[in-house]
C-alpha cells in the first residue's frame, strides 16, 4: 500500500510537470520528493512504474522508453558474466525492439559463427538507422520544441535526483550527447558489417562500406576505419588505392599505428625487393629506391620494434587480444596476424626486412630517452601488455642493444684480476699456498702430456 500511495502522490506532483510549458510549476520537486520518500521500492522499479503510469505527454514517451532501455544496456555492458549480459540484452529488446546496442551485444557475445553475427548486425543496423534519423529530426526542431524537450528530460533527472539515498545509482541522461551516441553506434555497426563481409570473402563489398563510412563521417578518424580499409585493399592487391589512402592518413599531424607505418614500408619495399641482394648491395651500395625502402623500414621499426620478429616468424603468433596498445607487443601481434600474408605475397619483402630491421637500433642508441622520428619509446608498455595478453605468451620487450663479446671478456678479466689482488692483500699466506698448489698441478699436467 505504501508503494501505491507513494506513486499516487508522485503522479499528482507530476501532473503539473513541464510537459507543454517552458517553465515548471512551483513546488513540483517537493511534492514529488514527498511522494517517493516512503515507497521503499528500488530506484529502477520506481522510475519504471512512474513512466508506465503515462504521467508524461505522448510526445516525449519515446525518450523515456529509450532511457529505460539504456538502463538495462548499461547493466548488460558492465556485467562480467556473459549469460547475464545476454539476458539483460534480451530484456532491453523486450522493452524496445529498436535497441541497436542490444543486437550488437548479442552479435558479439551469443553468435557462434560470422554468418549469425552478420545477421544480428543487420538487425542492429536497421534499428540504429531508425534511432539515428529520430535524433537528427530532434536536432532540427524549433527552439521552443527543444526547450520543452530539455525541460522534459530534466524532469526525469529531477525525479532521480530527488532520491538522495540512491545517489550512487542515478542514471544521468544527457540529451546533448544523444546524437553523438547514436552516430557512434551506427558507425560501429557498419564497421562490424564490413568486417563480417571481409571475413566471408566479400572483400569489394567490405571496401565499399568502409569508403562510404569515411565519406559520411569524416571527423571520426580516431575510429581507425582506414586501417581496416588498408588491409582489405592489400588483399585485393590494389596497391595504388593503398597508396592513396596512405597519402591521406600517413600525415605528421595524425596519429600513427603499426598498420600505417608497416604498410608504407611494404609499398616502398615492393618496388625493390624482387631484385635486392645483400651481396650486390654491399659491393655497389644502395640505390635511391632501396634507401627509401630501408628508411621506411627503420621508421616502422622505430614506431613498433616488436613486429619484425612476428613477420619473420622468429616468435610464434597467437590470436590477437580484444584490446591492443599502440607501440606495444599486443599491436605487433594484431598487425602480424592479419598482414603476414601480404608480406609473403611480395617476393623478397621479408628478405629485405630481415637484412635491415636491426639497423634501426644503431640509429637510436637510447630509445627510452630520445627518439629519431617519434617520441621516445614508452617504458610502460610491457606492464600493460602483460594485462592484455594471455599468461602463456612470452611478452616481447624493447630489443636491448647487445654488447660485443670482447667487452664482456674484458669486464670479466678486470673483475677477476681485482678480486685476486684484493685477496692477496688481505690473505697473503693463504694466497701464496694456493698459488704454489696451482703451479704444481699445472706442472704435473704438462709433464703428463
Amino acid at each position: 500500500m505504501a508503494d501505491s500511495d507513494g506513486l499516487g502522490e508522485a503522479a499528482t506532483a507530476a501532473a503539473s510537470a513541464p510537459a507543454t510549458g517552458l517553465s515548471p510549476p512551483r513546488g513540483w520537486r517537493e511534492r514529488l520528493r514527498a511522494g517517493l520518500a516512503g515507497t521503499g521500492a528500488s530506484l529502477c522499479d520506481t522510475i519504471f512504474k512512474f513512466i508506465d503510469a503515462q504521467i508524461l505527454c505522448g510526445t516525449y514517451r519515446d525518450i523515456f522508453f529509450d532511457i529505460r532501455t539504456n538502463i538495462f544496456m548499461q547493466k548488460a555492458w558492465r556485467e562480467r558474466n556473459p549469460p547475464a549480459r545476454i539476458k539483460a540484452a534480451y530484456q532491453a529488446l523486450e522493452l524496445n525492439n529498436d535497441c541497436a546496442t542490444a543486437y550488437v551485444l548479442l552479435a558479439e557475445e551469443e553468435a557462434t559463427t560470422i554468418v549469425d553475427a552478420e545477421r544480428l548486425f543487420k538487425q542492429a543496423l536497421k534499428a540504429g538507422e531508425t534511432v539515428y534519423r529520430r535524433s537528427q529530426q530532434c536536432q532540427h526542431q524549433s527552439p521552443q520544441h527543444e526547450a520543452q524537450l530539455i525541460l522534459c528530460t530534466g524532469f526525469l533527472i529531477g525525479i532521480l535526483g530527488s532520491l538522495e539515498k540512491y545517489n550512487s545509482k542515478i542514471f544521468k541522461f544527457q540529451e546533448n550527447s544523444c546524437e553523438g551516441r547514436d552516430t557512434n553506434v551506427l558507425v560501429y555497426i557498419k564497421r562490424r558489417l564490413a568486417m563480417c563481409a571481409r571475413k566471408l570473402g566479400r572483400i569489394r563489398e567490405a571496401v565499399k562500406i568502409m569508403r562510404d563510412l569515411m565519406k559520411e563521417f569524416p571527423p571520426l578518424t580516431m575510429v581507425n576505419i582506414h586501417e581496416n580499409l588498408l588491409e582489405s585493399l592489400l588483399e585485393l592487391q590494389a596497391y595504388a588505392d593503398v597508396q592513396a589512402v596512405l597519402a591521406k592518413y600517413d600525415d605528421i599531424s595524425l596519429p600513427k599505428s603499426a598498420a600505417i607505418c608497416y604498410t608504407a614500408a611494404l609499398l616502398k619495399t615492393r618496388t625493390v625487393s624482387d631484385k635486392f641482394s645483400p651481396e650486390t648491395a654491399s659491393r655497389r651500395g644502395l640505390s635511391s629506391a632501396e634507401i627509401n625502402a630501408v628508411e621506411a623500414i627503420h621508421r616502422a621499426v622505430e614506431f613498433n620494434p616488436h613486429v619484425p620478429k612476428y613477420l619473420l616468424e622468429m616468435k610464434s603468433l597467437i590470436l590477437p587480444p580484444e584490446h591492443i596498445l599502440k607501440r606495444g607487443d599486443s599491436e605487433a601481434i594484431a598487425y602480424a596476424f592479419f598482414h603476414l600474408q601480404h608480406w609473403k605475397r611480395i617476393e623478397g619483402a621479408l628478405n629485405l626486412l630481415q637484412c635491415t630491421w636491426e639497423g634501426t637500433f644503431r640509429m637510436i642508441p637510447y630509445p627510452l630517452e630520445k627518439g629519431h622520428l617519434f617520441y621516445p619509446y614508452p617504458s610502460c608498455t610491457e606492464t600493460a601488455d602483460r594485462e592484455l595478453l594471455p599468461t602463456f605468451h612470452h611478452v616481447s620487450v624493447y630489443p636491448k642493444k647487445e654488447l660485443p663479446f670482447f667487452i664482456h671478456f674484458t669486464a670479466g678479466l678486470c673483475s677477476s684480476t681485482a678480486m685476486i689482488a684484493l685477496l692477496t692483500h688481505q690473505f697473503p699466506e693463504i694466497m701464496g699456498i694456493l698459488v704454489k698448489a696451482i703451479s704444481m698441478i699445472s706442472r704435473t699436467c704438462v709433464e703428463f702430456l
Side-chain angles (χ1 to χ4, degrees):
M1 291 298 294
D3 289 353
S4 60
D5 293 342
L7 277 175
E9 294 181 24
T12 304
S16 57
T20 57
L22 294 180
S23 61
R26 292 182 177 180
W28 69 270
R29 286 180 180 273
E30 289 73 17
R31 291 198 298 274
L32 180 64
R33 184 179 290 110
L36 294 178
T39 59
S42 67
L43 175 67
C44 292
D45 290 342
T46 302
I47 297 168
F48 294 166
K49 291 177 183 178
F50 184 70
I51 295 172
D52 290 339
Q54 297 187 5
I55 295 170
L56 300 174
C57 62
T59 307
Y60 304 111
R61 284 187 60 77
D62 286 343
I63 299 169
F64 293 97
F65 278 116
D66 285 345
I67 294 174
R68 183 174 178 178
T69 305
N70 287 339
I71 292 176
F72 274 112
M73 288 311 301
Q74 278 204 344
K75 177 184 176 183
W77 290 116
R78 292 173 179 172
E79 180 64 52
R80 292 182 178 273
N81 186 18
R85 292 158 66 93
I86 294 171
K87 180 181 178 182
Y90 277 117
Q91 288 175 335
L93 287 175
E94 290 176 1
L95 289 172
N96 182 7
N97 197 40
D98 287 337
C99 182
T101 52
Y103 287 115
V104 170
L105 189 144
L106 293 176
E108 300 281 0
E109 298 282 345
E110 191 180 38
T112 57
T113 63
I114 299 178
V115 175
D116 293 339
E118 185 181 34
R119 174 180 55 81
L120 288 168
F121 277 123
K122 286 181 178 179
Q123 291 179 275
L125 177 62
K126 184 178 179 181
E129 287 178 339
T130 302
V131 176
Y132 179 73
R133 284 194 297 268
R134 190 196 319 167
S135 64
Q136 291 292 100
Q137 291 172 0
C138 291
Q139 183 188 11
H140 299 295
Q141 296 289 350
S142 64
Q144 183 179 9
H145 185 276
E146 290 183 4
Q148 293 176 1
L149 180 62
I150 294 172
L151 282 173
C152 212
T153 54
F155 172 62
L156 183 56
I157 296 175
I159 296 173
L160 297 170
S162 66
L163 302 177
E164 296 177 356
K165 63 181 179 179
Y166 294 116
N167 277 342
S168 62
K169 300 180 181 179
I170 288 177
F171 174 75
K172 295 182 179 178
F173 176 76
Q174 299 176 354
E175 187 271 336
N176 292 333
S177 66
C178 284
E179 183 192 356
R181 179 200 63 191
D182 297 335
T183 302
N184 291 337
V185 170
L186 186 63
V187 170
Y188 181 84
I189 293 169
K190 288 186 176 181
R191 181 182 182 181
R192 298 299 288 173
L193 279 173
M195 297 311 299
C196 288
R198 166 68 182 90
K199 293 298 181 184
L200 293 173
R202 306 195 305 269
I203 305 175
R204 296 189 182 279
E205 178 184 344
V207 169
K208 183 179 183 303
I209 295 174
M210 294 176 197
R211 288 189 184 278
D212 292 342
L213 269 178
M214 293 165 65
K215 290 179 182 177
E216 190 175 358
F217 307 99
L220 296 178
T221 55
M222 295 302 293
V223 184
N224 295 332
I225 301 174
H226 55 277
E227 295 184 12
N228 300 122
L229 179 60
L230 285 174
E231 195 279 327
S232 299
L233 291 173
L234 285 173
E235 181 65 22
L236 293 174
Q237 301 185 39
Y239 297 112
D241 293 336
V242 174
Q243 186 62 57
V245 175
L246 285 176
K248 183 177 181 181
Y249 290 98
D250 192 8
D251 187 80
I252 191 172
S253 62
L254 296 177
K256 299 294 180 292
S257 65
I260 290 178
C261 294
Y262 278 90
T263 301
L266 179 63
L267 289 189
K268 292 184 178 180
T269 300
R270 174 175 167 267
T271 60
V272 297
S273 59
D274 56 337
K275 300 177 182 178
F276 178 79
S277 172
E279 294 78 12
T280 306
S282 62
R283 288 198 305 270
R284 61 171 174 79
L286 296 175
S287 64
S288 59
E290 291 172 339
I291 291 175
N292 291 334
V294 172
E295 289 178 349
I297 290 175
H298 288 174
R299 171 178 178 262
V301 174
E302 180 184 354
F303 182 83
N304 193 319
H306 312 294
V307 173
K309 287 189 176 181
Y310 293 107
L311 291 179
L312 298 173
E313 300 181 82
M314 300 167 65
K315 288 192 67 175
S316 58
L317 269 176
I318 61 172
L319 288 174
E322 184 177 0
H323 304 283
I324 64 172
L325 178 68
K326 289 291 183 71
R327 306 188 74 176
D329 192 32
S330 53
E331 184 192 31
I333 292 172
Y335 174 80
F337 186 86
F338 294 106
H339 287 258
L340 177 58
Q341 56 182 334
H342 307 314
W343 282 81
K344 287 184 175 180
R345 185 180 294 128
I346 297 176
E347 183 183 356
L350 291 176
N351 179 42
L352 180 58
L353 177 67
Q354 184 177 14
C355 295
T356 57
W357 75 278
E358 291 182 333
T360 309
F361 308 120
R362 290 192 293 270
M363 300 168 50
I364 316 172
Y366 305 104
L368 301 180
E369 300 175 8
K370 184 179 179 180
H372 180 60
L373 298 174
F374 299 101
Y375 287 108
Y377 187 82
S379 58
C380 60
T381 55
E382 181 181 358
T383 304
D385 278 330
R386 290 190 188 280
E387 297 180 1
L388 295 173
L389 296 169
T391 55
F392 64 82
H393 175 72
H394 179 68
V395 176
S396 176
V397 297
Y398 197 97
K400 297 180 180 179
K401 189 175 181 181
E402 296 183 359
L403 297 175
F405 170 75
F406 77 90
I407 293 182
H408 291 284
F409 176 77
T410 304
L413 182 61
C414 293
S415 300
S416 58
T417 304
M419 183 63 67
I420 292 172
L422 178 62
L423 292 174
T424 304
H425 178 73
Q426 294 292 334
F427 311 102
E429 296 181 358
I430 298 176
M431 290 301 295
I433 296 172
L434 182 62
V435 170
K436 289 180 180 179
I438 293 175
S439 62
M440 290 179 61
I441 293 173
S442 302
R443 187 186 307 160
T444 303
C445 293
V446 172
E447 291 176 354
F448 179 77
L449 294 174

